């Protein structure tokens, strides 16, 4: 069951799966230090899409090396980075606009693909984030209308179009058509500027 | 032609399942079985981190 609490909060009743548990564990650490949003495929999966994923995309605002070291050190207690070994390396990757992948220690899948917000569209997503309440957990995701527009107008792969269609149907009562129009115009503009 | 038909069939299923999610409470237990078994299977993978990243970089 999906319930719109207010413009920026959705309550979702669902059985929590192992991918959800992985995401909750990761963001429980992250949220102590920084804002974040989950974007892309996991949003469709969170709302019921009949597929899994190996990786979950997550954006955080750009932070200083000192701040990142604190975050990284705490993440390293439970997770390992698949593509870097040290805090310095992960920071350098992030600062270069690349992503770093964190999995539970000794595992590869699932993993969180974390990036600094780099483009205007990333920062817009962070600003307009949506809180999703699931039992006693909270997650922040990018705005659903923006996800739909981005998947339909920019990414356009079969998987993205299917994800967008799923969200459009499942969240028919929650989606704002005004926001769809707003993001549609904005995405076209911001995409050109990238 | 076959690709277009396959795409349509997939999209029809997406629509059918999304409507099921709207109307039925048990969708998440079905989805949890699918996702949990996928993740269980992935733990049996013999891929190293390096091999996994090489595959991801090619995608």
């Amino acid at each position: 069951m999906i319930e719109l609490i207010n413009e920026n909060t959705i309550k979702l009743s669902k059985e929590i799966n192992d991918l959800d548990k992985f995401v909750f564990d990761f963001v429980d650490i992250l949220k102590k230090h920084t804002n974040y949003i989950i974007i892309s495929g996991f949003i469709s999966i969170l709302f019921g899409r009949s597929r899994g994923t190996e990786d979950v995309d997550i954006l955080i605002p750009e932070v200083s090396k000192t701040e990142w070291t604190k975050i990284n050190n705490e993440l390293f207690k439970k997770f390992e980075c698949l593509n870097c070994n040290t805090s310095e390396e992960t920071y350098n990757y992030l600062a270069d606009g690349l992503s770093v992948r964190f999995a539970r220690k000794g595992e590869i899948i699932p993993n969180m693909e974390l990036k600094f917000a780099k483009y205007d569209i990333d920062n817009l997503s962070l600003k307009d984030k949506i809180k999703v309440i699931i039992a006693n957990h909270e997650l922040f995701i990018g705005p659903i209308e923006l996800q739909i527009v981005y998947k339909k107008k920019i990414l356009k792969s079969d998987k993205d179009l299917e994800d967008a269609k799923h969200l459009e149907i499942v969240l028919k009562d929650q989606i704002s058509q005004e926001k769809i129009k707003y993001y549609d115009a904005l995405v076209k503009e911001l995409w050109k500027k990238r | 032609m076959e690709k277009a038909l396959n795409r349509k069939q997939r999209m029809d299923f997406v629509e059918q399942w999304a409507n099921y999610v709207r109307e039925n409470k048990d969708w998440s237990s079905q989805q949890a079985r699918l996702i949990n078994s996928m993740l269980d299977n992935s733990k049996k993978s013999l891929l190293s981190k390096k091999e996994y990243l090489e595959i991801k970089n090619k995608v």
Side-chain angles (χ1 to χ4, degrees):
Chain A
M1 191 181 141
I2 299 162
E3 189 186 347
L4 190 67
I5 305 289
N6 60 44
E7 205 186 344
N8 304 103
T9 311
I10 293 174
K11 191 173 176 187
L12 175 63
S13 305
K14 62 173 286 194
E15 181 175 321
I16 292 167
N17 60 55
D18 292 346
L19 184 64
D20 297 326
K21 287 178 195 163
F22 169 75
V23 172
F24 294 149
D25 282 352
F26 192 86
V27 301
D28 278 351
I29 295 174
L30 210 53
K31 74 182 181 190
K32 289 190 255 174
H33 302 273
T34 181
N35 281 331
Y36 75 88
I37 49 164
I38 293 167
I39 53 166
S40 208
F42 181 76
I43 297 181
S44 309
I45 296 169
L46 186 66
F47 290 104
R49 180 96 148 86
S50 60
R51 72 174 179 90
T53 187
E54 292 172 9
D55 41 23
V56 176
D57 296 299
I58 190 160
L59 285 177
I60 65 170
E62 191 163 348
V63 295
S64 68
K65 194 171 182 175
T66 311
E67 283 174 288
W68 172 254
T69 304
K70 282 185 207 160
I71 298 169
N72 193 100
N73 288 346
E74 198 171 345
L75 287 173
F76 269 16
K77 289 178 189 166
K78 274 187 148 180
F79 299 90
E80 66 178 303
C81 184
L82 300 181
N83 51 338
C84 299
N85 293 314
T86 63
S87 173
E88 176 140 13
E89 251 187 280
T90 52
Y91 184 78
N92 290 340
Y93 261 61
L94 292 168
D96 285 345
L98 301 171
S99 59
V100 286
R101 289 176 182 270
F102 288 92
R104 284 205 177 99
K105 285 186 178 180
E107 295 181 7
I108 295 174
I109 295 168
N111 57 72
M112 299 293 291
E113 189 171 1
L114 184 144
K115 268 186 174 184
F116 280 161
K118 186 179 174 190
Y119 301 107
D120 291 345
I121 202 161
D122 299 335
N123 290 312
L124 177 71
S125 291
L126 273 162
K127 184 175 80 64
D128 294 349
K129 69 186 177 184
I130 302 289
K131 184 199 283 184
V132 184
I133 301 167
I134 309 152
N136 56 344
H137 300 278
E138 281 180 8
L139 281 181
F140 287 97
I141 61 172
I144 289 156
E145 290 89 349
L146 178 55
Q147 297 299 312
I148 291 170
V149 168
Y150 198 73
K151 280 177 172 286
K152 284 174 80 172
K153 301 290 169 72
I154 305 293
L155 299 174
K156 296 193 272 193
S157 75
D158 286 354
K159 188 170 72 174
D160 291 304
L161 295 175
E162 289 164 8
D163 281 352
K165 175 60 79 180
H166 178 86
L167 289 173
E168 282 176 323
I169 295 172
V170 170
L171 297 169
K172 193 160 57 181
D173 302 330
Q174 288 83 19
I175 288 169
S176 153
Q177 290 307 318
E178 266 180 43
K179 282 189 186 175
I180 291 271
K181 281 182 200 158
Y182 164 73
Y183 287 125
D184 191 41
L186 211 58
V187 160
K188 282 177 194 157
E189 195 56 38
L190 294 176
W191 190 250
K192 277 186 225 159
K193 283 168 64 183
R194 273 174 74 126
Chain B
M1 181 74 178
E2 198 178 322
K3 205 174 171 185
L5 185 64
N6 186 32
R7 189 175 287 141
K8 187 187 175 307
Q9 280 175 342
R10 283 186 58 88
M11 195 55 100
D12 286 348
F13 175 75
V14 168
E15 289 186 31
Q16 191 188 339
W17 174 253
N19 282 308
Y20 186 89
V21 170
R22 275 180 65 83
E23 290 156 17
N24 296 275
K25 285 184 179 168
D26 71 341
W27 66 267
S28 64
S29 57
Q30 294 191 47
Q31 190 206 38
R33 284 202 299 276
L34 173 81
I35 289 175
N36 296 351
S37 63
M38 188 202 121
L39 294 179
D40 278 348
N41 276 332
S42 72
K43 288 192 175 83
K44 294 171 194 152
S45 162
L46 298 173
L47 281 181
S48 67
K49 280 196 282 188
K50 189 169 173 271
E51 288 164 334
Y52 174 76
L53 292 171
E54 277 170 6
I55 291 169
K56 292 304 284 185
N57 289 335
K58 280 179 195 161
V59 173

